């Protein structure tokens, strides 16, 4: 399955929720949609699954030799941002209903239920009403409902919200297993540390527009204007020599052995390494990549400021 | 109609029916209904049991009245003033009779006085009649009932005019029952459809399920499921009423009640009531889909519109041969209520029946399409209710 999104636009009354968005999704792997609330992620996902139609632009989904204007029925599992199931029905009744609507045979539903309830440690509670479960466990049931028919693609809007750290790790493990099975996953989330560990590709959105996309390296290249280096010596060195180098925000520990500094994104690190080594007995020299969280925040702030000036 | 469509509609309908069908609740409802009916039957006995006997002082020289639960005590006239001034102690009332005039002295107004006054009035009427001093023949002639014999020219072969009259009464009973059952069905549909759709919106089930089936499949399933539940309530109530009415009939008059209900009339009523419920529930589904929160939406009152045909059909019970009844039985938004009444009471020309069925089915097809469109429109608004102008546009476009 290949998805090509080109110049997609969606407007609600006076609000342009999605503005000229373009990116593609290939088979396998995990792609993360990132952005603050109101960035247009959910609007984009709703068009992708066929709940709403774009005002302009195009979605082309190629699957098994055919082309579709949105993901074809049965080819995907969808965990929406606005989600819930029937509170006055049991876990089992809810999931059997979803399975039946997916067109699964009774035996297959039973098999999948056994597997997933066990995988999410909910087998003992299968006959309890949904309203008796904690928010986190209800969230897990939602995820099972999304995965029950073993779709080749899953779309998860905020899959980690409402989960405690233990369950976040649990879901993370399940998603990695799905990826290993070849399932394509498109997810949106706010938990940057989890997403950074999980996703292969990223699409950063703000105010309905894509502000960066690609692998983590590519995102760094697009968003980071500086890079950070860390280095240490086996004994104290004079900082005067270091300050003559092209290093910004040079900081050291009290012993004067460990340093960190910002350098230009295009700086020649090999040359800089030689210069630093000339200052003393160098033990370690490494580039420190800014966490995705920091990149995300600075990019969103900068994009929002640009949007405000534009408007 | 693809098999996938039919399968999904069946799944949704079954789920919706079972969502609202709860065994304990059903048994409780049956128990309450039986209890209510029993209480209604036994009420006069209960009232009589708790009624206390009244003691009344009488100042009269003639025969004393004989009235159940009332003790009359004749007293000499010299005690009259003293007894009147002490009413409530030894006596509940004082009856002062002079000739054919009576005065009833009581302390204050009470419910037992109404029936007492009526009985005393009849007693005095009989005393007046006795004063006429008629012979036995004259008395018998006066007391004999005046009867009007009916002769129906359309039933000239029927020698038993009484059976024709009984049949007419029976038909009125059937049509009254039809309207009552329809009322139960529509109210049931109103409650379930409203809660089904708005609950799903509030518990946010809608978005996930809409990637599993399209709005038309979902609405069709809901309409069918809720209609199945409404029909269940209607038929269960009808059956219980039938049993109880017959039980009372057997207890007081002996034997089963004879109702002029042919299989054709019965099947016709079932058909129109079921299609009517589908039509009403389609309307309710469409409007419920435009309501986000039933507690705060001014639109909830519109959901009562389907009660209009039910109330209109009340007006033709007993006059099903009128021009209004003919119109209501053909107009597609009221025919489901009026046609079963006409068929049961007076019979209907076949061409009118066909037109009525045709119009009703076409309207049903349109109404379920409208429900799905309103539903699709409502959910794409994400958190806002569509305005009247939006709804009107959808109605026109359907």
């Amino acid at each position: 399955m290949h998805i090509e999104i080109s110049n997609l636009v969606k407007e609600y009354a006076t609000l342009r929720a999605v503005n000229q968005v373009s990116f593609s999704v290939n088979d396998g792997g995990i792609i993360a949609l990132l952005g603050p609330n109101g960035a247009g992620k959910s609007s984009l996902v709703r068009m992708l699954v066929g709940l709403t139609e774009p005002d302009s632009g195009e979605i082309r989904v190629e699957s098994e030799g055919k082309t579709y204007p949105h993901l074809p029925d049965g080819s995907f599992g969808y965990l929406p941002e606005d989600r819930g199931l029937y509170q006055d029905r049991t876990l089992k009744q809810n999931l059997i209903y979803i399975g039946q609507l997916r067109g699964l045979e009774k035996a297959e539903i039973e098999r999948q239920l056994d597997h997933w309830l066990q995988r999410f440690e909910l087998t003992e509670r299968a006959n309890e009403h949904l309203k008796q479960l904690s928010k986190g466990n209800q969230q897990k049931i939602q995820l099972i409902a999304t995965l029950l028919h073993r779709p080749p693609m899953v779309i998860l809007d905020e899959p980690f919200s409402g989960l405690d750290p233990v369950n976040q790790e649990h879901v993370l493990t399940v998603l990695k297993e799905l990826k290993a099975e070849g399932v394509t996953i498109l997810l949106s989330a706010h938990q940057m540390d989890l997403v950074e560990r999980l996703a292969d590709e990223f699409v950063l959105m703000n105010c309905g527009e894509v502000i960066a996309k690609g692998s983590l390296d590519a995102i760094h290249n697009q968003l980071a204007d500086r890079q950070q280096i860390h280095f240490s010596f086996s004994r104290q060195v004079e900082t005067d020599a270091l300050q003559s180098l092209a290093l910004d925000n040079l900081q050291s520990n009290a012993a004067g052995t460990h340093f960190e500094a910002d350098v230009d994104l295009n700086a020649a690190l090999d040359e800089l390494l030689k210069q630093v080594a000339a200052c003393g007995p160098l033990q370690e020299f490494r580039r420190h990549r800014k966490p995705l969280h920091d990149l995300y925040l600075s990019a969103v702030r900068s994009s929002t400021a640009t949007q405000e000036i534009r408007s | 109609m693809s098999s996938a469509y039919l399968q999904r509609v069946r799944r949704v309908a079954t789920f919706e029916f079972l969502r609202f069908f709860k065994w304990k609740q059903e048994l409780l409802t049956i128990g309450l209904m039986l209890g209510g009916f029993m209480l209604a039957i036994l009420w006069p006995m209960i009232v009589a049991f708790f009624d206390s006997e009244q003691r009344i002082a009488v100042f009269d020289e003639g025969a004393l009245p004989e009235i159940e639960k009332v003790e009359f005590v004749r007293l000499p006239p010299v005690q009259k003033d003293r007894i009147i001034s002490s009413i409530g102690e030894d006596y509940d009332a004082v009856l002062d009779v002079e000739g054919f005039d009576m005065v009833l002295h009581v302390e204050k107004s009470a419910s037992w006085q109404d029936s007492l006054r009526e009985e005393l009035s009849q007693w005095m009427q009989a005393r007046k009649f006795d004063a006429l001093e008629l012979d036995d023949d004259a008395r018998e002639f006066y007391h004999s009932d005046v009867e009007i014999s009916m002769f129906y020219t359309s039933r000239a072969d029927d020698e038993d005019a009484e059976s024709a009259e009984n049949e007419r009464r029976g038909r009125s009973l059937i049509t009254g029952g039809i309207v009552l059952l329809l009322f139960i069905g529509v109210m049931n549909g109103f409650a379930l459809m409203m809660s089904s759709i708005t609950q799903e919106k509030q518990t946010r089930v809608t978005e996930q399920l809409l990637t599993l089936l399209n709005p038309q499949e979902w609405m069709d399933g809901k309409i069918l499921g809720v209609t199945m539940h409404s029909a269940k309530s209607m038929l269960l109530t009808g059956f219980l009423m039938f049993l109880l009415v017959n039980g009372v009939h057997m207890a007081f008059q002996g034997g089963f009640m004879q109702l002029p209900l042919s299989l054709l009339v019965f099947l016709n009523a079932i058909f129109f009531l079921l299609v009517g419920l589908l039509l009403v529930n389609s309307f309710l589904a469409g409007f419920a889909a435009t309501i986000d929160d039933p507690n705060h939406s001014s639109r909830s009152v519109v959901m009562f519109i389907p009660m209009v045909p039910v109330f209109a059909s009340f007006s033709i019970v007993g006059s099903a041969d009128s021009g209004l009844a003919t119109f209501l039985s053909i107009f597609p938004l009221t025919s489901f209520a009026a046609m079963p009444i006409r068929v049961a009471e007076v019979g209907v020309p076949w061409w009118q029946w066909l037109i009525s069925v045709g119009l009703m089915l076409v309207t049903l097809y349109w109404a379920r399409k409208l429900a799905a469109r309103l539903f699709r429109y409502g959910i794409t608004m994400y958190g806002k209710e569509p305005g009247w102008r939006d709804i009107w546009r959808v109605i026109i476009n359907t």
Side-chain angles (χ1 to χ4, degrees):
Chain A
M1 189 186 292
H2 175 79
I3 303 169
E4 195 66 47
I5 294 168
S6 317
N7 303 319
L8 210 61
V9 172
K10 180 70 189 175
E11 290 179 338
Y12 295 109
T14 56
L15 174 75
R16 182 168 277 212
V18 176
N19 188 16
Q20 299 292 336
V21 166
S22 302
F23 67 92
S24 57
V25 179
N26 292 312
D27 233 356
I30 299 178
I31 184 162
L33 274 177
L34 304 175
N37 296 331
K41 304 185 299 290
S42 296
S43 297
L44 179 65
V45 165
R46 283 176 186 139
M47 287 187 278
L48 198 54
V49 299
L51 283 175
T52 56
E53 288 176 7
D55 292 320
S56 67
E58 189 185 30
I59 297 173
R60 281 171 65 86
V61 179
E62 285 165 16
S63 175
E64 295 171 352
K66 290 182 182 171
T67 305
Y68 302 90
H70 54 74
L71 288 166
D73 292 346
S75 71
F76 67 96
Y78 174 46
L79 179 73
E81 184 191 20
D82 275 342
R83 53 182 168 251
L85 285 170
Y86 296 93
Q87 297 288 317
D88 53 353
R89 306 257 89 188
T90 66
L91 272 65
K92 220 171 169 179
Q93 286 169 332
N94 268 293
L95 292 172
I96 288 173
Y97 183 46
I98 300 276
Q100 286 174 332
L101 291 179
R102 287 281 185 205
L104 298 182
E105 294 296 326
K106 195 181 172 191
E108 178 62 8
I109 294 173
E110 292 288 343
R111 208 170 62 79
Q112 293 297 336
L113 268 183
D114 286 347
H115 169 77
W116 286 113
L117 287 174
Q118 202 171 0
R119 187 70 191 82
F120 282 99
E121 297 162 359
L122 287 166
T123 307
E124 303 296 316
R125 312 192 69 176
N127 291 315
E128 287 184 26
H129 283 111
L130 207 64
K131 62 188 170 196
Q132 292 173 275
L133 267 61
S134 66
K135 196 178 170 194
N137 279 336
Q138 290 196 25
Q139 176 88 329
K140 288 198 241 172
I141 295 299
Q142 290 280 349
L143 201 56
I144 295 175
T146 308
L147 303 173
L148 199 66
H149 61 301
R150 295 276 180 182
M153 176 163 199
V154 290
I155 295 170
L156 311 171
D157 206 343
E158 299 293 344
F160 302 109
S161 71
L163 295 176
D164 60 37
V166 175
N167 280 313
Q168 283 184 352
E169 284 299 325
H170 196 145
V171 170
L172 191 81
T173 309
V174 171
L175 294 183
K176 281 179 180 170
E177 287 170 7
L178 289 171
K179 179 188 165 185
E181 289 171 17
V183 175
T184 308
I185 300 170
L186 177 70
L187 62 89
S188 80
H190 288 126
Q191 293 79 0
M192 292 297 153
D193 54 330
L194 292 174
V195 173
E196 194 170 0
R197 285 160 55 197
L198 188 66
D200 306 304
E201 301 269 327
F202 301 83
V203 176
L204 261 65
M205 292 181 71
N206 190 39
C207 302
E209 294 179 350
V210 173
I211 53 175
K213 61 185 174 184
S215 65
L216 202 55
D217 281 340
I219 294 285
H220 267 273
N221 290 336
Q222 287 168 60
L223 297 179
D225 53 348
R226 313 287 285 162
Q227 53 186 327
Q228 202 173 42
I229 57 165
H230 286 210
F231 51 92
S232 62
F233 299 94
S234 56
R235 61 171 171 77
Q236 188 177 17
V237 296
E238 292 296 325
T239 53
D240 291 352
L242 289 171
Q243 275 169 350
S244 65
L245 303 177
L247 299 171
D248 295 333
N249 301 327
L250 181 66
Q251 290 176 351
S252 72
N253 64 353
T257 54
H258 287 71
F259 295 85
E260 60 180 46
D262 290 340
V263 297
D264 194 80
L265 195 64
N266 300 318
L269 290 184
D270 291 349
E271 188 58 32
L272 188 62
L273 171 63
K274 284 178 195 166
Q275 290 170 353
V276 171
C279 296
L282 188 65
Q283 265 190 329
E284 185 194 17
F285 183 95
R286 63 185 166 84
R287 189 176 68 167
H288 177 72
R289 200 153 58 175
K290 262 189 173 179
L292 185 62
H293 181 261
D294 295 355
L295 282 176
Y296 168 84
L297 282 182
S298 57
V300 165
R301 280 179 192 139
S302 148
S303 161
T304 306
T306 311
Q307 290 276 351
E308 280 170 3
I309 292 166
R310 225 190 278 168
S311 63
Chain B
M1 244 182 247
S2 70
S3 65
Y5 162 83
L6 290 174
Q7 195 181 31
R8 284 176 182 167
V9 168
R10 185 170 63 85
R11 298 285 188 210
V12 176
T14 310
F15 185 81
E16 291 291 332
F17 179 79
L18 293 175
R19 224 177 125 190
F20 298 110
F21 183 87
K22 295 181 172 69
W23 274 110
K24 280 184 193 167
Q25 209 170 307
E26 292 297 322
L27 291 173
L28 185 70
T29 308
I30 293 171
L32 283 174
M33 282 178 71
L34 288 173
F37 277 116
M38 290 308 287
L39 193 67
I41 292 165
L42 297 175
W43 192 247
M45 283 183 253
I46 293 167
V47 170
F49 179 77
F50 286 104
D51 258 2
S52 57
E53 193 169 87
Q54 263 71 47
R55 198 153 184 259
I56 297 176
V58 183
F59 296 98
D60 178 39
E61 290 174 357
L64 290 175
E66 287 177 9
I67 298 172
E68 209 175 329
K69 294 263 183 188
V70 181
E71 183 191 357
F72 292 96
V73 180
R74 191 194 313 280
L75 295 175
V78 289
Q79 294 183 21
K80 193 194 286 183
D81 292 342
R82 185 180 64 79
I83 296 293
I84 288 173
S85 63
S86 64
I87 284 176
E89 291 174 11
D90 295 332
Y91 298 95
D92 299 295
V94 170
L95 179 64
D96 187 10
V97 183
E98 281 188 22
F100 296 114
D101 294 328
M102 291 183 289
V103 180
L104 189 66
H105 300 264
V106 292
E107 188 181 10
K108 58 186 176 189
S109 175
S111 59
W112 56 267
Q113 293 158 14
D114 295 335
S115 57
L116 177 67
R117 283 170 67 185
E118 203 175 309
E119 300 257 17
L120 285 174
S121 168
Q122 282 175 17
W123 169 71
M124 186 54 79
Q125 205 61 32
R127 185 184 263 199
K128 281 181 175 176
F129 187 73
D130 287 343
L132 293 175
E133 295 178 352
L134 299 174
D135 60 28
D136 287 347
D137 288 344
R139 278 169 190 272
E140 195 181 333
F141 176 72
Y142 181 80
H143 284 298
S144 62
D145 290 337
V146 177
E147 281 184 6
I148 302 174
S149 299
M150 296 295 293
F151 183 78
Y152 300 95
T153 55
S154 61
R155 297 174 59 105
D157 296 339
D158 193 342
E159 291 176 359
D160 190 356
E162 192 184 347
S163 75
E165 185 57 18
N166 285 341
E167 193 177 312
R168 192 190 64 77
R169 284 200 204 102
R171 283 182 174 178
S172 289
L173 198 67
I174 290 168
T175 52
I178 288 172
V179 177
L180 181 67
L181 293 183
L182 191 59
F183 180 80
I184 290 168
V186 172
M187 284 306 285
N188 184 280
F190 167 77
L192 299 193
M193 194 59 88
M194 189 81 161
S195 107
S196 167
I197 291 181
T198 56
Q199 249 180 35
E200 272 166 359
K201 280 186 161 189
Q202 287 177 336
T203 54
R204 306 192 288 183
V205 180
T206 314
E207 195 163 327
Q208 178 141 337
L209 258 66
L210 273 175
T211 59
L212 308 181
L213 68 177
N214 67 45
Q216 189 66 66
E217 290 167 338
W218 201 358
M219 281 297 104
D220 285 352
K222 270 187 181 302
I223 292 164
L224 196 59
V226 170
T227 299
M228 278 158 57
H229 197 283
S230 304
K232 185 269 311 165
S233 299
M234 240 169 51
L235 294 177
L236 180 69
T237 311
F239 181 65
L240 283 174
M241 276 170 53
F242 178 77
L243 283 186
L244 285 159
V245 168
N246 264 299
V248 173
H249 194 268
M250 279 176 82
F252 294 102
Q253 297 191 19
F256 272 106
M257 194 163 60
Q258 298 294 318
L259 286 176
L261 181 65
S262 69
L263 183 66
L264 211 60
V265 170
F266 179 73
L267 291 179
N268 177 72
I270 294 288
F271 170 74
F272 270 88
L273 293 185
L274 287 181
V275 178
L277 285 180
L278 287 169
L279 188 61
V280 164
N281 287 330
S282 302
F283 175 87
L284 292 171
F287 272 90
T290 69
I291 295 171
D292 253 16
D293 180 356
N295 298 322
H296 297 103
S297 177
S298 58
R299 200 164 295 149
S300 304
V301 73
V302 177
M303 303 281 283
F304 280 102
I305 288 178
M307 291 310 293
V308 173
V310 181
F311 291 130
S313 64
F314 260 121
S315 67
I316 61 163
V317 172
S319 59
D321 50 353
S322 66
L324 177 67
T326 305
F327 171 76
L328 291 177
S329 67
I330 292 174
F331 185 62
L333 298 178
T334 51
S335 56
F336 67 89
M339 186 55 92
I341 293 172
R342 275 192 75 203
V343 169
E345 271 195 24
V346 293
V348 174
W350 64 268
W351 59 270
Q352 284 186 11
W353 188 89
L354 271 184
I355 291 171
S356 175
V357 169
L359 286 175
M360 187 172 64
L361 292 178
V362 168
T363 309
L364 172 64
Y365 180 80
W366 175 81
R368 54 174 274 280
K369 287 270 178 203
L370 175 66
R373 286 201 179 198
L374 281 172
F375 182 67
R376 180 190 280 275
Y377 194 79
I379 52 151
T380 55
M381 303 280 287
Y382 286 106
K384 289 179 196 161
E385 282 190 354
W388 282 112
R389 194 178 294 175
D390 301 319
I391 293 172
W392 183 244
R393 202 178 306 131
V394 175
I395 292 172
I396 293 296
N397 289 334
T398 302

